[in-house]
Amino acid sequence: MEVLKVAHLSKAFGSLEVIRDISLSVSQGEVLAVIGPSGSGKSTLLRSITHLETVSGGSITVGGTDVVRDGLYAPPAELRKACLRMGLVFQNFNLFPHLSVLQNVTEAQLLVLKRGKAEAEARARELLAKMGLSDKERSYPCELSGGQQQRVSIARALALDPEILFFDEPTSALDPELTGEILKVIRALAAEKMTMVIVTHEILFARDVADRVVFMDGGVIVEEGLPADVIGAPKNERTKAFLSRITN
Ligand SMILES: Nc1ncnc2c1ncn2[C@@H]1O[C@H](COP(=O)(O)OP(=O)(O)OP(=O)(O)O)[C@@H](O)[C@H]1O
Ligand SMILES: [Mg+2]
């Protein structure tokens, strides 16, 4: 079953076309890695899909609900429903600094899903335990390491029970030793068959965890396929050049 379908998506900032005619789909339980050079449009693609940007054209369908169809957005109530199916984890964590760890993970459950406090806290504690953070629920984000903050932000995203989770370079703000702990969490989610789209510079990780890889350059998908093909034996010259640059 397709959880996400993107067709002929484009996004321009003024006259700058940042993504052009992007089509892709992600099935239930699948992990898609998106790689590509800086400025190729990876973040803009994720931000467009998750409705943090308004697209210029094309269609996005999430869990069978249209977010946008041929450039026309769904009515607000439907749009909201579709957006609730998607979770997003950012590079810089984006936790609420004035809220404790527990509050960071309960806030949207209370406000958006209208869960009761006891239920929201129970769900938050369950997820924090899973992230190895049970002893930190009263801490504030500034008291945590980058890796711990990122695990809180993953718990926060999971608390809304998304059908698909997007990561935008979840480890690039972290030291190498903290990167490992986040990659471990993502690996565990993949083993549980969480549907995920991961923008990453960690090519070996992408090769290892992804079911499929998309290579973007200049706002288009240049090459797409199995990790062993796209990363292991790229066909396109631009993919080859990118991979040899970052692995050397
Ligand atoms: N809000 C904006 N207004 C104008 N241009 C933007 C905006 N956001 C992104 N861009 C431009 O869009 C292009 C793609 O940016 P994007 O952030 O999507 O790239 P990226 O692939 O995520 O790069 P990186 O690997 O460095 O994160 C860049 O040329 C960038 O300058
Ligand atoms: Mg980016």
Side-chain angles (χ1 to χ4, degrees):
M1 195 189 87
E2 259 170 11
V3 177
L4 173 70
K5 189 170 164 59
V6 170
H8 308 296
L9 199 72
S10 61
K11 169 68 186 171
F13 292 106
S15 60
L16 181 68
E17 279 199 294
V18 174
I19 57 176
R20 287 179 288 144
D21 197 23
I22 296 243
S23 297
L24 57 85
S25 62
V26 183
S27 308
Q28 175 105 54
E30 193 179 30
V31 178
L32 177 72
V34 180
I35 61 172
S38 183
S40 58
K42 306 179 300 293
S43 295
T44 304
L45 175 63
L46 287 203
R47 294 175 54 81
S48 297
I49 294 171
T50 54
H51 196 40
L52 294 172
E53 301 283 0
T54 307
V55 304
S56 314
S59 305
I60 302 167
T61 310
V62 182
T65 307
D66 285 337
V67 173
V68 54
R69 186 168 196 164
D70 296 330
L72 283 179
Y73 276 90
E78 246 168 73
L79 190 56
R80 196 163 163 275
K81 213 171 85 193
C83 289
L84 270 174
R85 299 173 189 265
M86 302 186 274
L88 182 56
V89 175
F90 301 91
Q91 174 177 355
N92 292 314
F93 330 132
N94 292 9
L95 294 173
F96 304 116
H98 59 293
L99 298 181
S100 71
V101 164
L102 186 69
Q103 288 167 327
N104 262 281
V105 185
T106 52
E107 185 82 348
Q109 295 188 67
L110 302 172
L111 295 179
V112 182
L113 297 188
K114 312 284 183 206
R115 283 186 184 148
K117 190 159 182 244
E119 185 191 356
E121 288 187 349
R123 178 75 176 129
R125 290 199 169 101
E126 181 191 328
L127 288 165
L128 288 171
K130 191 169 164 182
M131 296 295 142
L133 292 169
S134 289
D135 55 335
K136 298 290 182 192
E137 66 170 67
R138 289 178 195 287
S139 301
Y140 282 80
C142 64
E143 299 167 330
L144 302 179
S145 73
Q148 289 168 337
Q149 290 183 53
Q150 190 59 301
R151 281 183 280 149
V152 175
S153 78
I154 294 171
R156 182 178 62 177
L158 289 171
L160 300 182
D161 301 324
E163 283 167 38
I164 179 166
L165 199 49
F166 296 86
F167 293 87
D168 191 355
E169 295 188 26
T171 62
S172 62
L174 301 175
D175 294 338
E177 70 266 34
L178 297 180
T179 294
E181 67 182 52
I182 297 305
L183 298 185
K184 208 172 118 193
V185 166
I186 297 175
R187 253 195 202 98
L189 292 171
E192 291 171 15
K193 292 290 167 203
M194 181 79 210
T195 310
M196 295 185 280
V197 177
I198 309 170
V199 171
T200 182
H201 283 145
E202 304 282 340
I203 297 300
L204 294 178
F205 172 70
R207 183 177 180 158
D208 187 37
V209 81
D211 298 303
R212 225 153 23 92
V213 178
V214 157
F215 170 69
M216 282 181 71
D217 196 9
V220 299
I221 293 178
V222 171
E223 194 163 347
E224 177 182 358
L226 297 173
D229 295 331
V230 177
I231 296 174
K235 290 192 182 70
N236 189 287
E237 289 308 320
R238 282 149 82 186
T239 321
K240 284 183 196 169
F242 170 74
L243 289 169
S244 72
R245 255 198 331 274
I246 64 161
T247 47
N248 287 336

